[in-house]
Amino acid sequence: MLEIQRLTKYYRNTPVVNDVSFTVRPGEVTGYLGPNGSGKSTTVKIIAGLIEATTGKVLLDGRDIREDPMGFRRRLGYVPEEAILYSYLTGLEYLQLIGRLRSLPPQEVDRKANELLDLFSLESYRHAPISTYSKGMKQRVLISAALLHNPDVLILDEPLSGIDVTSAQLFKHLLAELASKGKTILYISHVLEVVERVCAQVIIIYKGRIMAADSVERLRGLMNVPSLEGIFAQLVEERDLESLARNIVRTIQTG
Amino acid sequence: MDVNFFGMLFWPSIDAGPHLINLFVSHVTAVLAAGLFAALSIAALQGVLITILPAKAYRRVSVTIQTALMGVLVMLLFLSPLMGFSIERLIKNHNPSLYWFPGFWFVGLYERLRPATHNPLLAGLGISAIRALGCAAGVCAATYLPFYRRHARKMLEAPEPSPSGPGPLRKRIAGILDCLLLPHPIESAVFRFIGQTITRSVKHRLFLATYGGFGAAVAVMSLGSESGLLRLPLTLSFVLVSGLRAAFNFPSELRANWAFQVSETSHARPYLLATRKWIVVCSILPLFALLAPMEFACFPWTAALFHLAFGIALSVLLMEILFLGFRKVPFTCSHFPGKVNLVALGVVYVLGFTVYSSTMAGFESWMTGTPSATALFFAAAASVSLLLNRWQAREPDGAATLDYEDRGDPVVRTLDLTPQ
């Protein structure tokens, strides 16, 4: 179980993440939602160990991850928000690099990397440099790299960004399958429809603070709205989006 | 034109006396012709290669040619003063190198345009300059202009249609290296990553070519005397190891280093060991393998073997010293070049190229007749290298402590007077 306890991160005296606490249970997909700049990616970067929190802690199975950061990283699979990869490596070389860095034996890395590239429909591009890949292809390489070492904890920051419809469908099934194998999954997304379908629990963050944390059904009941989109709009939208859209059109039409 | 602008402007006014305009025109013409020849020759070479080679072969060859040309240009830059000083002697001796080095041809052109020495040999070289310029322009016009523009973008930017990956020989070599040299998967990962980055990152390749060109210039200057031959391997290994140390500091696609940070699941030792193994296997040993034929040709085989062993041992020791404090995976850490103390760096390099190589070459000569001193040296070199290696790989806090962020020069320096 992954527990985030009173996590706070300040940038130049401004709290980007402010006293955030939640729990991600094994065997479940937990959705982490919020508008741009709400602090989602900062939270997951802290969990992944890429930046340090100002205060607060992250526990895995009751143990602070700072006590054994390497042990935590061994159990972690991470897909970052942006698909930044070594563009001069080929897809296969990248997976071989990550697999070996994770101390997997070379034969196992080669076998798994080739199989994952096949399964993610990248087999004919395995020897092509990543610089020639589309955004969706890069995203599939990232997902493969995150899964290569069979991690217990998965943090997926916008994994469907740039991915085509078929791959997105595959990914939804993959999430459900991984959860059924007992993986602890934190899933960050803007695509509310996917979150609604695959997440047992959703956490909504706005301006660095948690606005809601519960199952979609309970939130629907509590807030008396039919969809996650409605819940999201009620919690984080301060503006009337319809009138805003009308204003935009009026602006571009004004001679 | 840009590079030679100030020289063109000032030199004639210093030298000319009453014939300022005449000298200025001669100077500008000779310098422009030489610069044009260099540019057109490189363009012509590219044009010929792209015309005769298939796309795949061109891609591979052009990378090598680009790196080699960079090295050659830097080498010539350092050798130019030496050539300038020696031209009088070479002409007196009718040295054949006059006909092979284009720089001399354009000095001849200068002599033709404004006779100063009235030497017929030098003036004759001017004809070679005009012919060479015409030849480079002709080949460039016939190949580069019509074909390069049409094919280059297609060949360089389009991905290979069905890349096949590494061949069986490369796979076999990689397998052998993994088995014999890189037992830990992390060592294998870092070792491969260094090789892939060095060969595929243009920035790093050209940076190392610059060092290589400098090393080649030093090598050329060392040839000719026995003491120079003794110093040569040591100077070259110093250039090589210090060049790699500098190149490893420059990040490659820095934002992609998150993959190393998130995957750092072991203590620093295998990462640091892999870097050292790469330097030894892929740079120090190949350098001495290249020097071996020259050593065996110039010295008795026992002396040659001793020189090579001495050079390798000293290079490994030098590597351990230069890489003290380098707790990173090469190319993955941010770098602030502004904080480098250029004066201190310059002193280190000057000492390295002069004191280090000459002192060590003298030490080697002294040691040659003393077996006990030789044995003591190799034992001491091995022990110190091992100790430095162990000390470097220590874990200060019991945690992995690889660096990914360079400690930059602070904008505001505090005096730390306030008690914490």
Side-chain angles (χ1 to χ4, degrees):
Chain A
M1 184 155 66
L2 187 69
E3 292 167 83
I4 283 71
Q5 291 186 353
R6 312 205 66 177
L7 214 58
T8 299
K9 176 71 183 175
Y10 277 87
Y11 281 127
R12 291 180 185 155
N13 298 328
T14 307
V16 183
V17 175
N18 196 352
D19 201 21
V20 163
S21 301
F22 61 89
T23 302
V24 188
R25 283 182 288 272
E28 282 184 4
V29 183
T30 300
Y32 196 44
L33 312 177
N36 291 335
S38 57
K40 302 187 299 292
S41 291
T42 305
T43 314
V44 296
K45 278 181 186 164
I46 293 169
I47 300 171
L50 292 173
I51 52 176
E52 277 187 38
T54 310
T55 57
K57 55 188 174 183
V58 180
L59 309 177
L60 180 63
D61 296 337
R63 192 177 176 198
D64 192 331
I65 62 168
R66 285 173 298 193
E67 288 172 19
D68 180 18
M70 285 185 280
F72 173 67
R73 284 188 215 118
R74 269 192 282 273
R75 297 176 62 186
L76 174 72
Y78 173 58
V79 174
E81 186 184 14
E82 288 178 86
I84 304 165
L85 304 149
Y86 287 103
S87 61
Y88 51 84
L89 298 183
T90 67
L92 181 61
E93 285 169 348
Y94 188 80
L95 292 185
Q96 286 172 333
L97 173 72
I98 300 298
R100 285 180 161 95
L101 285 176
R102 290 199 168 275
S103 302
L104 298 180
Q107 293 83 359
E108 188 183 332
V109 174
D110 290 352
R111 181 183 57 76
K112 279 189 172 180
N114 278 301
E115 282 179 18
L116 282 168
L117 289 172
D118 286 349
L119 292 166
F120 279 102
S121 311
L122 290 168
E123 66 275 15
S124 52
Y125 299 94
R126 76 182 72 207
H127 297 303
I130 291 172
S131 57
T132 63
Y133 285 18
S134 68
K135 195 180 177 201
M137 287 160 75
K138 286 181 190 168
Q139 208 66 32
R140 281 180 270 165
V141 172
L142 278 177
I143 294 168
S144 304
L147 297 174
L148 198 62
H149 58 295
N150 189 24
D152 298 328
V153 180
L154 273 164
I155 299 176
L156 311 166
D157 195 350
E158 298 285 356
L160 297 184
S161 169
I163 274 187
D164 60 58
V165 179
T166 316
S167 300
Q169 293 284 353
L170 166 69
F171 188 75
K172 276 185 265 180
H173 292 297
L174 179 64
L175 274 183
E177 189 66 25
L178 287 166
S180 75
K181 299 289 178 201
K183 309 286 182 198
T184 305
I185 304 170
L186 182 62
Y187 176 58
I188 294 93
S189 180
H190 283 117
V191 188
L192 300 181
E193 178 259 327
V194 178
V195 174
E196 197 162 12
R197 278 180 54 183
V198 299
C199 294
Q201 182 197 198
V202 289
I203 293 144
I204 298 176
I205 181 171
Y206 183 54
K207 291 185 176 173
R209 283 187 176 278
I210 292 204
M211 308 300 287
D214 215 324
S215 68
V216 178
E217 289 74 29
R218 277 178 56 87
L219 285 175
R220 274 197 208 116
L222 282 169
M223 299 179 72
N224 203 21
V225 281
S227 67
L228 185 59
E229 196 179 320
I231 297 167
F232 190 79
Q234 270 198 21
L235 288 171
V236 305
E237 289 301 342
E238 290 169 339
R239 299 170 298 181
D240 177 3
L241 296 181
E242 279 182 31
S243 66
L244 193 64
R246 274 195 298 276
N247 286 341
I248 292 169
V249 173
R250 194 184 312 129
T251 304
I252 61 171
Q253 284 179 337
T254 308
Chain B
M1 185 81 182
D2 285 350
V3 171
N4 295 295
F5 181 75
F6 286 105
M8 287 196 297
L9 210 60
F10 291 118
W11 178 246
S13 60
I14 293 167
D15 187 50
H19 309 291
L20 180 67
I21 295 178
N22 180 17
L23 179 61
F24 184 77
V25 171
S26 308
H27 191 94
V28 168
T29 310
V31 169
L32 267 183
L36 204 60
F37 169 76
L40 287 174
S41 301
I42 291 169
L45 181 64
Q46 271 194 311
V48 169
L49 288 175
I50 208 160
T51 310
I52 61 171
L53 292 177
K56 194 175 173 184
Y58 176 76
R59 263 195 216 105
R60 288 188 179 170
V61 169
S62 71
V63 166
T64 315
I65 297 274
Q66 186 193 40
T67 312
L69 278 175
M70 184 70 180
V72 168
L73 290 175
V74 172
M75 181 184 81
L76 292 177
L77 181 75
F78 282 102
L79 287 180
S80 295
L82 192 71
M83 290 168 171
F85 287 125
S86 60
I87 189 165
E88 197 179 341
R89 183 172 47 83
L90 295 174
I91 287 170
K92 272 185 190 160
N93 300 339
H94 285 250
N95 194 298
S97 65
L98 289 168
Y99 300 100
W100 290 104
F101 178 59
F104 294 133
W105 308 342
F106 288 90
V107 175
L109 180 65
Y110 206 153
E111 172 67 19
R112 270 197 100 75
L113 294 170
R114 184 178 174 271
T117 64
H118 301 283
N119 185 300
L121 174 61
L122 194 56
L125 289 174
I127 302 286
S128 303
I130 296 164
R131 283 185 189 146
L133 184 59
C135 192
V139 175
C140 178
T143 57
Y144 184 85
L145 294 179
F147 295 113
Y148 186 81
R149 281 193 179 281
R150 202 170 60 194
H151 292 309
R153 183 164 293 175
K154 197 169 64 183
M155 290 170 95
L156 292 174
E157 292 178 7
E160 286 185 50
S162 57
S164 53
L169 182 66
R170 262 179 68 187
K171 279 184 187 166
R172 183 94 189 108
I173 292 170
I176 291 169
L177 279 175
D178 279 352
C179 272
L180 299 178
L181 195 71
L182 309 162
H184 198 295
I186 292 176
E187 286 182 27
S188 170
V190 175
F191 190 95
R192 285 165 182 235
F193 177 71
I194 297 171
Q196 285 156 344
T197 306
I198 289 268
T199 51
R200 296 178 201 177
S201 160
V202 178
K203 183 174 68 175
H204 291 90
R205 217 175 43 234
L206 293 183
F207 182 83
L208 283 173
T210 308
Y211 265 84
F214 178 62
V218 172
V220 171
M221 286 188 259
S222 301
L223 295 173
S225 69
E226 189 171 320
S227 64
L229 282 177
L230 275 178
R231 282 200 310 271
L232 175 66
L234 303 177
T235 311
L236 284 181
S237 72
F238 187 91
V239 173
L240 182 71
V241 177
S242 58
L244 286 171
R245 174 71 169 80
F248 286 179
N249 263 336
F250 290 121
S252 173
E253 306 201 10
L254 182 62
R255 292 180 70 213
N257 80 355
W258 66 268
F260 281 90
Q261 296 184 56
V262 168
S263 310
E264 196 184 317
T265 52
S266 164
H267 293 285
R269 187 167 168 71
Y271 298 89
L272 305 179
L273 211 53
T275 307
R276 280 152 179 75
K277 284 181 180 178
W278 192 91
I279 295 169
V280 173
V281 173
C282 299
S283 55
I284 292 176
L285 291 181
L287 171 71
F288 282 91
L290 276 175
L291 291 170
M294 188 201 73
E295 290 278 353
F296 284 108
C298 298
F299 298 101
W301 71 271
T302 45
L305 273 182
F306 177 70
H307 292 161
L308 292 172
F310 179 80
I312 291 170
L314 215 54
S315 305
V316 172
L317 191 58
L318 181 71
M319 173 192 73
E320 290 294 351
I321 293 167
L322 287 181
F323 276 78
L324 267 182
F326 186 88
R327 293 183 66 82
K328 338 171 169 173
V329 176
F331 320 116
T332 63
C333 181
S334 60
H335 178 60
F336 298 103
K339 74 169 194 172
V340 174
N341 185 338
L342 287 176
V343 176
L345 202 64
V347 169
V348 168
Y349 273 72
V350 169
L351 284 177
F353 295 132
T354 54
V355 178
Y356 166 77
S357 55
S358 59
T359 311
M360 287 301 146
F363 178 59
E364 187 185 356
S365 301
W366 170 78
M367 214 169 46
T368 308
T370 337
S372 56
T374 307
L376 196 65
F377 163 75
F378 281 108
S383 311
V384 173
S385 297
L386 206 65
L387 274 175
L388 288 174
N389 189 284
R390 295 272 168 188
W391 187 76
Q392 170 72 4
R394 78 202 185 285
E395 301 298 336
D397 309 317
T401 50
L402 287 175
D403 295 331
Y404 296 101
E405 296 275 347
D406 196 9
R407 280 175 284 277
D409 210 20
V411 178
V412 178
R413 286 184 186 278
T414 58
L415 296 173
D416 294 328
L417 298 175
T418 313
Q420 297 293 309

